[in-house]
Amino acid sequence: MRSDVSGLRVSGLCYQVGGRTLLDQVELAVAPGESVAVTGPSGSGKSTLLMCILGLIKPQKGTITAGGREITGLGSAQLAQARRDSLGMVFQFGELLPELTPVENVALPVLLGGGSHQDACLRAENLLGELGVPVGSTPTGLLSGGERQRTAVARALITEPAVLLADEPTGALDPEAKEGVARLLFTAARDRGCALLLVTHDPSVAGQADRRHELQGGILSEAGAL
């Protein structure tokens, strides 16, 4: 297991709910610029693992370090700051505000962190341009599925996170858009030095990661280098 503390490290993570063990002493490390895909049956705890890393679910045991900072045990205000500083998240359906333009959606994390409106919008425009999303006044809700998901990736990257998380990011896309978004995620992680942890049911997407793990019965095991 890699041990680079500037990426992502999960150690001894345990989570039970309703008498069911979803995470049982989970160990995982993802180095900067490296990508790891997690597969497994529906309901096996893949999304729960991401929610623990985000601090939205509190594990019963274990530690999580992102970007060199341990985030388990932080208070709500400190956790929110650590999330803004170190973590980027791409959800299956983007979770964008459909009435806002792509620039406004992408700029939002910078604005919420206290950045200036002009700087946030300029950075958002540049990032969207790099990721192939049209910059204009069209509401995000009117973009294609692939363009919306690229916008979601841009929003996750704008704060230059140490760790990029993705929960079924291609699950709602057609085959062509799926391939484009998957390629974008893996390329962005490598080029920007993010530790990418991606949850997916799609073997063709998982196969593009540097490593693949499977989560089943609470146990996370490596499937071998791909």
Side-chain angles (χ1 to χ4, degrees):
M1 185 177 72
R2 282 87 170 155
S3 60
D4 194 315
V5 295
S6 64
L8 172 67
R9 185 177 180 89
V10 176
S11 181
L13 202 67
C14 297
Y15 182 73
Q16 295 181 332
V17 62
R20 188 163 161 247
T21 299
L22 292 179
L23 303 173
D24 186 3
Q25 295 290 335
V26 165
E27 301 279 340
L28 176 67
V30 189
E34 184 183 31
S35 57
V36 172
V38 175
T39 61
S42 295
S44 62
K46 302 183 301 298
S47 294
T48 298
L49 173 61
L50 296 186
M51 294 304 104
C52 285
I53 295 170
L54 278 171
L56 300 178
I57 291 177
K58 186 176 181 180
Q60 280 90 23
K61 287 177 58 179
T63 59
I64 300 165
T65 303
R69 181 177 186 184
E70 185 176 331
I71 60 176
T72 37
L74 292 178
S76 57
Q78 290 177 309
L79 180 58
Q81 184 64 51
R83 196 181 293 133
R84 285 195 298 268
D85 291 345
S86 302
L87 298 167
M89 179 73 193
V90 181
F91 296 93
Q92 179 174 356
F93 298 104
E95 304 299 332
L96 301 167
L97 297 174
E99 68 276 13
L100 299 185
T101 67
V103 169
E104 290 168 338
N105 265 298
V106 174
L108 204 53
V110 178
L111 296 173
L112 292 174
S116 75
H117 186 273
Q118 182 177 4
D119 175 62
C121 288
L122 180 60
R123 288 168 60 187
E125 287 179 4
N126 291 337
L127 188 51
L128 285 164
E130 289 179 34
L131 302 188
V133 180
V135 175
S137 58
T138 302
T140 303
L142 298 181
L143 298 179
S144 69
E147 288 171 336
R148 287 196 300 272
Q149 204 64 333
R150 285 175 178 268
T151 301
V153 174
R155 184 188 58 185
L157 290 173
I158 195 169
T159 57
E160 300 180 350
V163 177
L164 181 60
L165 306 172
D167 191 0
E168 297 286 359
T170 63
L173 302 177
D174 62 56
E176 183 178 355
K178 177 192 78 172
E179 178 58 33
V181 169
R183 184 169 57 248
L184 172 64
L185 276 167
F186 291 115
T187 300
R190 183 176 62 249
D191 293 351
R192 296 170 185 273
C194 302
L196 171 61
L197 180 62
L198 178 144
V199 160
T200 183
H201 281 100
D202 192 322
S204 69
V205 173
Q208 298 180 52
D210 296 319
R211 291 185 289 134
R212 183 170 63 84
H213 285 62
E214 184 173 9
L215 183 60
Q216 192 161 10
I219 305 298
L220 184 70
S221 56
E222 187 166 357
L226 299 173

